[in-house]
Amino acid sequence: MTLSDPTDNALATIASILDPPESRREPDKPAVAAQIAVGPPPIPTSPPPIEAHRYCKFGPGPMTAIRFKWTVRLDNGDYYVDETIGENSTPIVTGPMSREAAIQMVDDRESSARRRFEQLKSEMTERSAAANLARKDDGEA
């Protein structure tokens, strides 16, 4: 362990709590000791709002050249969603819309693309398995 190891700080804090009051000494790093003694920060009751400008999601798939990308952008107080396929395509722009509608559109498009991709992948796996089974039945290896 090193001198700056957080474990050392935690153990020192625990030891100082367990020591009788007359033997207590000030920790080397009061800010860290106070944070550890108090415990972790409280868990927020609701997530912070999503920053809409530049909010982005990518579609599924193994090839970047054909992967969808949805990006929210703010322009003169209105939100737009730019939808591209691959890295260098011209975006299809949807908008203007509200901040919430733009975020929802990106989430919906990504979710829909993921479902379609998983369905297609499942169909391809089933067809491949059926083709392999048919080859084995025909005596091919």
Side-chain angles (χ1 to χ4, degrees), residues 54-82:
R54 295 193 181 117
Y55 181 70
C56 177
K57 286 198 173 181
F58 293 88
M63 296 174 55
T64 305
I66 60 171
R67 191 171 298 139
F68 283 88
K69 176 182 176 185
W70 301 274
T71 306
V72 176
R73 67 180 164 83
L74 179 62
D75 189 10
N76 292 327
D78 292 318
Y79 290 91
Y80 296 84
V81 174
D82 295 333

Side-chain angles (χ1 to χ4, degrees), residues 10 27 31 33 36 38 59-60 65 75 78 86-87 99 104 108 110 117 119 124 127:
I36 292 170
V38 171
D75 189 10
D78 292 318
E87 296 175 336
R99 173 191 172 283
Q104 187 66 49
D108 289 348
E110 187 271 341
F117 177 77
Q119 181 182 5
M124 291 173 66
R127 287 180 185 168

Side-chain angles (χ1 to χ4, degrees), residues 103-118:
I103 291 170
Q104 187 66 49
M105 180 181 177
V106 169
D107 289 346
D108 289 348
R109 293 281 176 103
E110 187 271 341
S111 178
S112 177
R114 189 160 307 283
R115 277 193 310 275
R116 289 190 313 250
F117 177 77
E118 291 302 324

Side-chain angles (χ1 to χ4, degrees), residues 8-139:
D8 288 340
N9 293 329
L11 291 174
T13 302
I14 292 168
S16 70
I17 293 169
L18 297 176
D19 285 344
E22 63 272 4
S23 67
R24 287 192 182 167
R25 59 184 168 82
E26 287 296 316
D28 294 336
K29 296 180 180 176
V32 173
Q35 182 181 10
I36 292 170
V38 171
I43 298 173
T45 56
S46 62
I50 295 172
E51 174 61 41
H53 183 58
R54 295 193 181 117
Y55 181 70
C56 177
K57 286 198 173 181
F58 293 88
M63 296 174 55
T64 305
I66 60 171
R67 191 171 298 139
F68 283 88
K69 176 182 176 185
W70 301 274
T71 306
V72 176
R73 67 180 164 83
L74 179 62
D75 189 10
N76 292 327
D78 292 318
Y79 290 91
Y80 296 84
V81 174
D82 295 333
E83 182 175 24
T84 57
I85 302 172
E87 296 175 336
N88 299 318
S89 68
T90 303
I92 297 171
V93 180
T94 305
M97 62 185 85
S98 70
R99 173 191 172 283
E100 293 79 14
I103 291 170
Q104 187 66 49
M105 180 181 177
V106 169
D107 289 346
D108 289 348
R109 293 281 176 103
E110 187 271 341
S111 178
S112 177
R114 189 160 307 283
R115 277 193 310 275
R116 289 190 313 250
F117 177 77
E118 291 302 324
Q119 181 182 5
L120 179 61
K121 190 166 81 169
S122 176
E123 289 174 9
M124 291 173 66
T125 302
E126 290 170 8
R127 287 180 185 168
S128 176
N132 286 338
L133 184 60
R135 268 189 261 136
K136 286 181 183 177
D137 288 343
D138 289 341

